[in-house]
Amino acid sequence: GEDVEQSLFLSVREGDSSVINCTYTDSSSTYLYWYKQEPGAGLQLLTYIFSNMDMKQDQRLTVLLNKKDKHLSLRIADTQTGDSAIYFCATPGGGATNKLIFGTGTLLAVQP
Amino acid sequence: DTAVSQTPKYLVTQMGNDKSIKCEQNLGHDTMYWYKQDSKKFLKIMFSYNNKELIINETVPNRFSPKSPDKAHLNLHINSLELGDSAVYFCASSQDSWGGEQYFGPGTRLTVT
């Protein structure tokens, strides 16, 4: 089945850029998503990218997709303490349903 | 207005008990989901219903039984609770079953003692 991997932890200083990486195995994914989970809360969709795009920018967020290497990244510019959270990438699980396969999650810690 | 709501937010119970978690969405979506997040934050799909019809049923013990009385509600009943069932259970919904954003509820933290 689909496998989605992320590094577990990233620590940055406030104002720096953060880059969170994700690798996946299913090359038929049509959309790839980034979700954010703040402590004690549910998941919130941050952004997504269609598989026919290489890059998508949305304010401080930049998503890069390398389909050949099956690698997805999320760059957060000017990282703030409020960005501290767990970030999950997710891909559709295939088939005729909207099943999402989530990555292992990356805990982003922003130091003031 | 709350889009996807779950009750209860916290649930502490003993092994062997039966419990239910309820989910409601007011977004007019056709598809609803249950996900389980374990203590290491791994998040995995359990079930999905589209217009009250079960469309995803992952490898989950049959002690777990979802029920969708209408497309705005999806409940999860768990029989004979075990220690390993302790987790955060998230409900989510999406417009349809073909793709697009899933909106998540705040989660129900289940602790089995």
Side-chain angles (χ1 to χ4, degrees), chain B residues 62-81:
Chain B
N62 57 15
R63 297 182 294 104
F64 289 77
S65 52
K67 277 195 174 49
S68 181
D70 55 62
K71 71 175 193 177
H73 295 85
L74 180 60
N75 303 323
L76 183 64
H77 188 76
I78 316 170
N79 288 328
S80 303
L81 278 154

PDB file of all heavy atoms in Angstrom, chain B residues 62-81:
ATOM      1  N   ASN B  62     -13.760  -5.976  14.471  1.00  0.00           N
ATOM      2  CA  ASN B  62     -15.202  -5.825  14.325  1.00  0.00           C
ATOM      3  C   ASN B  62     -15.881  -5.387  15.614  1.00  0.00           C
ATOM      4  O   ASN B  62     -17.111  -5.282  15.669  1.00  0.00           O
ATOM      5  CB  ASN B  62     -15.837  -7.101  13.768  1.00  0.00           C
ATOM      6  CG  ASN B  62     -15.554  -8.314  14.624  1.00  0.00           C
ATOM      7  OD1 ASN B  62     -15.120  -8.174  15.771  1.00  0.00           O
ATOM      8  ND2 ASN B  62     -15.786  -9.501  14.084  1.00  0.00           N
ATOM      9  N   ARG B  63     -15.102  -5.101  16.641  1.00  0.00           N
ATOM     10  CA  ARG B  63     -15.653  -4.453  17.842  1.00  0.00           C
ATOM     11  C   ARG B  63     -16.042  -2.995  17.524  1.00  0.00           C
ATOM     12  O   ARG B  63     -16.781  -2.371  18.279  1.00  0.00           O
ATOM     13  CB  ARG B  63     -14.626  -4.453  18.971  1.00  0.00           C
ATOM     14  CG  ARG B  63     -14.217  -5.841  19.457  1.00  0.00           C
ATOM     15  CD  ARG B  63     -13.230  -5.754  20.617  1.00  0.00           C
ATOM     16  NE  ARG B  63     -11.951  -5.182  20.213  1.00  0.00           N
ATOM     17  CZ  ARG B  63     -11.579  -3.935  20.508  1.00  0.00           C
ATOM     18  NH1 ARG B  63     -12.373  -3.130  21.176  1.00  0.00           N
ATOM     19  NH2 ARG B  63     -10.391  -3.497  20.121  1.00  0.00           N
ATOM     20  N   PHE B  64     -15.492  -2.472  16.419  1.00  0.00           N
ATOM     21  CA  PHE B  64     -15.802  -1.106  16.014  1.00  0.00           C
ATOM     22  C   PHE B  64     -16.924  -1.151  14.986  1.00  0.00           C
ATOM     23  O   PHE B  64     -16.786  -1.813  13.950  1.00  0.00           O
ATOM     24  CB  PHE B  64     -14.573  -0.443  15.379  1.00  0.00           C
ATOM     25  CG  PHE B  64     -13.478  -0.135  16.347  1.00  0.00           C
ATOM     26  CD1 PHE B  64     -12.637  -1.135  16.816  1.00  0.00           C
ATOM     27  CD2 PHE B  64     -13.283   1.156  16.812  1.00  0.00           C
ATOM     28  CE1 PHE B  64     -11.627  -0.851  17.725  1.00  0.00           C
ATOM     29  CE2 PHE B  64     -12.273   1.440  17.712  1.00  0.00           C
ATOM     30  CZ  PHE B  64     -11.445   0.444  18.168  1.00  0.00           C
ATOM     31  N   SER B  65     -18.004  -0.447  15.242  1.00  0.00           N
ATOM     32  CA  SER B  65     -19.101  -0.435  14.280  1.00  0.00           C
ATOM     33  C   SER B  65     -19.570   0.991  14.060  1.00  0.00           C
ATOM     34  O   SER B  65     -20.085   1.632  14.973  1.00  0.00           O
ATOM     35  CB  SER B  65     -20.249  -1.333  14.737  1.00  0.00           C
ATOM     36  OG  SER B  65     -20.634  -1.017  16.041  1.00  0.00           O
ATOM     37  N   PRO B  66     -19.382   1.497  12.834  1.00  0.00           N
ATOM     38  CA  PRO B  66     -19.881   2.830  12.508  1.00  0.00           C
ATOM     39  C   PRO B  66     -21.357   2.749  12.137  1.00  0.00           C
ATOM     40  O   PRO B  66     -21.842   1.723  11.671  1.00  0.00           O
ATOM     41  CB  PRO B  66     -19.035   3.200  11.289  1.00  0.00           C
ATOM     42  CG  PRO B  66     -18.721   1.905  10.636  1.00  0.00           C
ATOM     43  CD  PRO B  66     -18.684   0.853  11.711  1.00  0.00           C
ATOM     44  N   LYS B  67     -22.036   3.888  12.359  1.00  0.00           N
ATOM     45  CA  LYS B  67     -23.443   3.962  11.941  1.00  0.00           C
ATOM     46  C   LYS B  67     -23.708   5.374  11.449  1.00  0.00           C
ATOM     47  O   LYS B  67     -23.335   6.346  12.100  1.00  0.00           O
ATOM     48  CB  LYS B  67     -24.376   3.640  13.105  1.00  0.00           C
ATOM     49  CG  LYS B  67     -24.569   2.161  13.329  1.00  0.00           C
ATOM     50  CD  LYS B  67     -25.745   1.870  14.229  1.00  0.00           C
ATOM     51  CE  LYS B  67     -26.042   0.389  14.336  1.00  0.00           C
ATOM     52  NZ  LYS B  67     -24.875  -0.444  14.622  1.00  0.00           N
ATOM     53  N   SER B  68     -24.378   5.475  10.326  1.00  0.00           N
ATOM     54  CA  SER B  68     -24.709   6.779   9.767  1.00  0.00           C
ATOM     55  C   SER B  68     -26.215   6.875   9.607  1.00  0.00           C
ATOM     56  O   SER B  68     -26.773   6.416   8.600  1.00  0.00           O
ATOM     57  CB  SER B  68     -24.003   6.958   8.422  1.00  0.00           C
ATOM     58  OG  SER B  68     -24.280   8.227   7.874  1.00  0.00           O
ATOM     59  N   PRO B  69     -26.914   7.499  10.570  1.00  0.00           N
ATOM     60  CA  PRO B  69     -28.371   7.594  10.478  1.00  0.00           C
ATOM     61  C   PRO B  69     -28.832   8.512   9.349  1.00  0.00           C
ATOM     62  O   PRO B  69     -29.919   8.323   8.794  1.00  0.00           O
ATOM     63  CB  PRO B  69     -28.785   8.140  11.846  1.00  0.00           C
ATOM     64  CG  PRO B  69     -27.547   8.781  12.396  1.00  0.00           C
ATOM     65  CD  PRO B  69     -26.376   8.065  11.806  1.00  0.00           C
ATOM     66  N   ASP B  70     -28.001   9.503   9.020  1.00  0.00           N
ATOM     67  CA  ASP B  70     -28.252  10.378   7.879  1.00  0.00           C
ATOM     68  C   ASP B  70     -26.911  10.958   7.462  1.00  0.00           C
ATOM     69  O   ASP B  70     -25.915  10.765   8.158  1.00  0.00           O
ATOM     70  CB  ASP B  70     -29.262  11.489   8.215  1.00  0.00           C
ATOM     71  CG  ASP B  70     -28.845  12.308   9.412  1.00  0.00           C
ATOM     72  OD1 ASP B  70     -27.769  12.952   9.347  1.00  0.00           O
ATOM     73  OD2 ASP B  70     -29.566  12.291  10.428  1.00  0.00           O
ATOM     74  N   LYS B  71     -26.872  11.662   6.348  1.00  0.00           N
ATOM     75  CA  LYS B  71     -25.552  12.027   5.829  1.00  0.00           C
ATOM     76  C   LYS B  71     -24.855  13.101   6.646  1.00  0.00           C
ATOM     77  O   LYS B  71     -23.682  13.371   6.434  1.00  0.00           O
ATOM     78  CB  LYS B  71     -25.629  12.401   4.345  1.00  0.00           C
ATOM     79  CG  LYS B  71     -26.308  13.698   4.030  1.00  0.00           C
ATOM     80  CD  LYS B  71     -26.198  13.967   2.538  1.00  0.00           C
ATOM     81  CE  LYS B  71     -26.587  15.399   2.239  1.00  0.00           C
ATOM     82  NZ  LYS B  71     -26.442  15.734   0.822  1.00  0.00           N
ATOM     83  N   ALA B  72     -25.554  13.707   7.597  1.00  0.00           N
ATOM     84  CA  ALA B  72     -24.925  14.710   8.446  1.00  0.00           C
ATOM     85  C   ALA B  72     -24.352  14.120   9.731  1.00  0.00           C
ATOM     86  O   ALA B  72     -23.708  14.831  10.512  1.00  0.00           O
ATOM     87  CB  ALA B  72     -25.938  15.801   8.799  1.00  0.00           C
ATOM     88  N   HIS B  73     -24.593  12.856   9.970  1.00  0.00           N
ATOM     89  CA  HIS B  73     -24.163  12.227  11.217  1.00  0.00           C
ATOM     90  C   HIS B  73     -23.435  10.912  10.952  1.00  0.00           C
ATOM     91  O   HIS B  73     -23.854  10.118  10.095  1.00  0.00           O
ATOM     92  CB  HIS B  73     -25.369  11.930  12.134  1.00  0.00           C
ATOM     93  CG  HIS B  73     -26.074  13.159  12.613  1.00  0.00           C
ATOM     94  ND1 HIS B  73     -27.050  13.792  11.874  1.00  0.00           N
ATOM     95  CD2 HIS B  73     -25.914  13.890  13.758  1.00  0.00           C
ATOM     96  CE1 HIS B  73     -27.477  14.850  12.538  1.00  0.00           C
ATOM     97  NE2 HIS B  73     -26.817  14.939  13.683  1.00  0.00           N
ATOM     98  N   LEU B  74     -22.351  10.723  11.707  1.00  0.00           N
ATOM     99  CA  LEU B  74     -21.632   9.445  11.641  1.00  0.00           C
ATOM    100  C   LEU B  74     -21.159   9.132  13.049  1.00  0.00           C
ATOM    101  O   LEU B  74     -20.399   9.896  13.633  1.00  0.00           O
ATOM    102  CB  LEU B  74     -20.439   9.528  10.698  1.00  0.00           C
ATOM    103  CG  LEU B  74     -19.613   8.240  10.563  1.00  0.00           C
ATOM    104  CD1 LEU B  74     -20.456   7.083  10.040  1.00  0.00           C
ATOM    105  CD2 LEU B  74     -18.390   8.455   9.673  1.00  0.00           C
ATOM    106  N   ASN B  75     -21.661   8.049  13.599  1.00  0.00           N
ATOM    107  CA  ASN B  75     -21.320   7.653  14.954  1.00  0.00           C
ATOM    108  C   ASN B  75     -20.406   6.437  14.923  1.00  0.00           C
ATOM    109  O   ASN B  75     -20.376   5.679  13.944  1.00  0.00           O
ATOM    110  CB  ASN B  75     -22.602   7.333  15.737  1.00  0.00           C
ATOM    111  CG  ASN B  75     -23.556   8.521  15.737  1.00  0.00           C
ATOM    112  OD1 ASN B  75     -23.134   9.670  15.814  1.00  0.00           O
ATOM    113  ND2 ASN B  75     -24.844   8.241  15.627  1.00  0.00           N
ATOM    114  N   LEU B  76     -19.656   6.286  16.004  1.00  0.00           N
ATOM    115  CA  LEU B  76     -18.739   5.145  16.110  1.00  0.00           C
ATOM    116  C   LEU B  76     -19.006   4.454  17.436  1.00  0.00           C
ATOM    117  O   LEU B  76     -18.867   5.069  18.498  1.00  0.00           O
ATOM    118  CB  LEU B  76     -17.282   5.627  16.047  1.00  0.00           C
ATOM    119  CG  LEU B  76     -16.207   4.549  16.078  1.00  0.00           C
ATOM    120  CD1 LEU B  76     -16.291   3.660  14.843  1.00  0.00           C
ATOM    121  CD2 LEU B  76     -14.814   5.177  16.175  1.00  0.00           C
ATOM    122  N   HIS B  77     -19.397   3.204  17.357  1.00  0.00           N
ATOM    123  CA  HIS B  77     -19.653   2.421  18.567  1.00  0.00           C
ATOM    124  C   HIS B  77     -18.524   1.412  18.727  1.00  0.00           C
ATOM    125  O   HIS B  77     -18.140   0.750  17.767  1.00  0.00           O
ATOM    126  CB  HIS B  77     -21.000   1.699  18.470  1.00  0.00           C
ATOM    127  CG  HIS B  77     -21.390   1.043  19.750  1.00  0.00           C
ATOM    128  ND1 HIS B  77     -21.870   1.746  20.826  1.00  0.00           N
ATOM    129  CD2 HIS B  77     -21.357  -0.250  20.127  1.00  0.00           C
ATOM    130  CE1 HIS B  77     -22.113   0.910  21.813  1.00  0.00           C
ATOM    131  NE2 HIS B  77     -21.807  -0.306  21.419  1.00  0.00           N
ATOM    132  N   ILE B  78     -18.024   1.316  19.967  1.00  0.00           N
ATOM    133  CA  ILE B  78     -16.920   0.395  20.236  1.00  0.00           C
ATOM    134  C   ILE B  78     -17.341  -0.553  21.356  1.00  0.00           C
ATOM    135  O   ILE B  78     -17.697  -0.100  22.456  1.00  0.00           O
ATOM    136  CB  ILE B  78     -15.630   1.135  20.645  1.00  0.00           C
ATOM    137  CG1 ILE B  78     -15.376   2.347  19.752  1.00  0.00           C
ATOM    138  CG2 ILE B  78     -14.445   0.167  20.590  1.00  0.00           C
ATOM    139  CD1 ILE B  78     -14.266   3.254  20.221  1.00  0.00           C
ATOM    140  N   ASN B  79     -17.319  -1.841  21.063  1.00  0.00           N
ATOM    141  CA  ASN B  79     -17.658  -2.864  22.060  1.00  0.00           C
ATOM    142  C   ASN B  79     -16.401  -3.382  22.744  1.00  0.00           C
ATOM    143  O   ASN B  79     -15.312  -3.388  22.165  1.00  0.00           O
ATOM    144  CB  ASN B  79     -18.348  -4.051  21.381  1.00  0.00           C
ATOM    145  CG  ASN B  79     -19.749  -3.708  20.940  1.00  0.00           C
ATOM    146  OD1 ASN B  79     -20.436  -2.914  21.566  1.00  0.00           O
ATOM    147  ND2 ASN B  79     -20.163  -4.295  19.837  1.00  0.00           N
ATOM    148  N   SER B  80     -16.576  -3.852  23.952  1.00  0.00           N
ATOM    149  CA  SER B  80     -15.505  -4.557  24.682  1.00  0.00           C
ATOM    150  C   SER B  80     -14.171  -3.823  24.569  1.00  0.00           C
ATOM    151  O   SER B  80     -13.179  -4.358  24.062  1.00  0.00           O
ATOM    152  CB  SER B  80     -15.346  -5.983  24.130  1.00  0.00           C
ATOM    153  OG  SER B  80     -16.551  -6.671  24.208  1.00  0.00           O
ATOM    154  N   LEU B  81     -14.152  -2.605  25.047  1.00  0.00           N
ATOM    155  CA  LEU B  81     -12.972  -1.755  24.890  1.00  0.00           C
ATOM    156  C   LEU B  81     -11.718  -2.397  25.470  1.00  0.00           C
ATOM    157  O   LEU B  81     -11.746  -3.052  26.509  1.00  0.00           O
ATOM    158  CB  LEU B  81     -13.229  -0.401  25.555  1.00  0.00           C
ATOM    159  CG  LEU B  81     -14.011   0.549  24.651  1.00  0.00           C
ATOM    160  CD1 LEU B  81     -14.796   1.570  25.457  1.00  0.00           C
ATOM    161  CD2 LEU B  81     -13.049   1.242  23.688  1.00  0.00           C
TER     162      LEU B  81
END
